[in-house]
Amino acid sequence: MKTKVGIIGAGLTGLTTAYYLKKKGIDVQLFEKADRAGGVIESVQKDGFLYEKGPNSGVLGQPEVMALVEDLGDAVKLEIADASAKFRWVWKGDRWHALPSGLIGGVTTPLFKFSDKLRLLGEPFRKAGNNPNETLADLVLRRMGRSFLNYAVDPFVLGIYSGDPNQLIPRFALPKLYNLEQKYGSFIGGSIKKAKEPKSDRDKKATREIFAFQGGLGSLIGALINGIGKEHIQLNAKDIKVEKSSYGKYLVSYTNGKSQEFDKLVFTAGAYQLKEIFPFIAEELAEKVQAMQFAKVIHISLGFKKWEGIDLKAFGGLVPFIEKRDVLGVLFMSSIFKGRAPEGGALLSTFLGGIRRPEMVDISDDEVKKVVEREMKSMMGLTKWDPDLLVINRYQHAIPQYGIESEGKLKAIQEIEAQFPGLIIAGNVRDGIGMADRIKQGKTLADSIN
Ligand SMILES: Cc1cc2nc3c(=O)[nH]c(=O)nc-3n(C[C@H](O)[C@H](O)[C@H](O)COP(=O)(O)OP(=O)(O)OC[C@H]3O[C@@H](n4cnc5c(N)ncnc54)[C@H](O)[C@@H]3O)c2cc1C
């Protein structure tokens, strides 16, 4: 008998899993509560702008991204960001400063204190930490100093997690960074040694370049949907509940009593709903999984047909928490990807909220507009305020935070999966929060299911 696999959630994780299962010839059915697939990924063309409602771009941080692009063939056209994407800005005082990438920039930048710059010379010789639950902030303070924490690491984790270095645990949130210290004894020495290590052809595909797709990230979603087949995606599947049925199968019921039975079930729809959807999971285990917090975020796309602000030759700028401004950062999408704005114009993305300012996500649209106007005028050199496009998208569960609960959460997931063979708790609750991590997880899951 052919294995039947159900997948709850048709975001990037669910779609990638389904795409590869289908390729293996496995019978697969996705359930999606919304009236479209793609989850937080959605691209929109409007008035000469091409903007994203959710993520704007990804990092080729896992070889599975290129492998997926190759598998999809002509259905998608990968776009690698312009070389200016290597320039990142950080706000300090009353202006942007380039985040230094080399020695001279590192010595001259006003972002870091002189004493911390001197202290950095000793970083390769400092001994590795031995507290596996040390926070990112403590790790950076121990190895690098407070100004590096405030003006390099804090904006970096804002950009990835909309998070707080005092809450993120590097072992789970930034495993590559954590391993640099654990494996090589130092961030600086470890990065140099790692760069020199020979790479397999597969690993060479993880170039760490910034990517998107021609036509926007939504074109990846479209290609995955075509590869899976629309008939395998049940949209508008409301009020999903799962029960254990005969012979260890899973009965998925949805929308006015419809139901289907599966041998295996992959859950990718947001761990905060575990208790509600799976009443048979012990409450204490579900609670351990649901202990994970999410950063709330508002993503505002701003389009200008004629750009009259500062020169935008960079990926964008991030705003350290210590600067007490109301935006988390601003990305210059039209500088790094083609066709995002009319010639001479600009498309920017700015963000409000994050784990330390959750209240910002509940302010009204009018207040959002006022905040954005005030911040963009003062930070982007605009003397007048007349955007041709201003789109507000709110996310109550934007980015999961891998904090102190992570160990208990991952153990609980293992226990649930051991108690209920064939049930897989996946999605961004584990294995990373970026698009590349989601693609990798989808491929790995599909490989493991027979
Ligand atoms: C504002 C924002 C900016 C981001 N920026 C970046 C970035 O720059 N780079 C990067 O790599 N990543 C970024 N990310 C993260 C990246 O977008 C995600 O990792 C990825 O898209 C998540 O895919 P997913 O399938 O795991 O989850 P989702 O996209 O959330 O998909 C889950 C799906 O499940 C559905 N669902 C939910 N509940 C139910 C239910 N009860 N029943 C049925 N279906 C349900 C949802 O409707 C959704 O379609 C960003 C995310 C956000 C929100």
Side-chain angles (χ1 to χ4, degrees), residues 1 243-251 261-264:
M1 283 256 289
E243 281 169 56
K244 291 235 1 121
S245 64
S246 49
Y247 312 109
K249 293 186 193 244
Y250 296 94
L251 187 73
E261 204 176 45
F262 297 95
D263 304 295
K264 300 202 167 159

Side-chain angles (χ1 to χ4, degrees), residues 41 147 152 218 252 286 298 338 392 430:
I41 299 177
S147 62
V252 176
I298 305 186
K338 293 195 181 80
I392 299 170
R430 60 179 170 93

Side-chain angles (χ1 to χ4, degrees), residues 190-204:
S191 309
I192 296 170
K193 281 186 200 145
K194 206 159 174 243
K196 284 188 186 154
E197 281 173 2
K199 283 197 176 115
S200 66
D201 285 345
R202 187 177 165 278
D203 287 344
K204 280 185 195 154

Side-chain angles (χ1 to χ4, degrees), residues 10-31:
L12 183 58
T13 312
L15 291 171
T16 308
T17 313
Y19 172 77
Y20 280 116
L21 285 173
K22 174 88 190 309
K23 246 186 130 191
K24 272 170 76 170
I26 288 180
D27 190 355
V28 64
Q29 179 68 41
L30 280 147
F31 294 92

Side-chain angles (χ1 to χ4, degrees), residues 9 11-13 32-33 39-40 55 57 269 273 277 399 433-435 438:
L12 183 58
T13 312
E32 167 56 55
K33 76 170 178 188
V40 297
S57 60
Q273 306 176 74
I277 295 183
I399 313 279
I433 59 152
M435 287 187 286
R438 305 291 81 242

Side-chain angles (χ1 to χ4, degrees), residues 135-137 149-150 152-169 173-174 293-297 318-322 327-329 351-358 398-403 433:
T135 64
L136 178 60
L149 172 63
N150 287 340
V153 174
D154 183 285
F156 169 73
V157 296
L158 265 183
I160 302 176
Y161 277 92
S162 302
D164 176 359
N166 291 296
Q167 293 181 41
L168 294 167
I169 304 295
L174 296 165
Q293 288 190 56
F294 286 80
K296 302 176 180 191
V297 169
L318 288 162
V319 184
F321 184 69
I322 196 170
V327 292
L328 300 172
F351 301 88
L352 308 186
I355 199 76
R356 288 174 290 195
R357 300 285 305 274
I399 313 279
Q401 308 290 304
Y402 295 169
I433 59 152

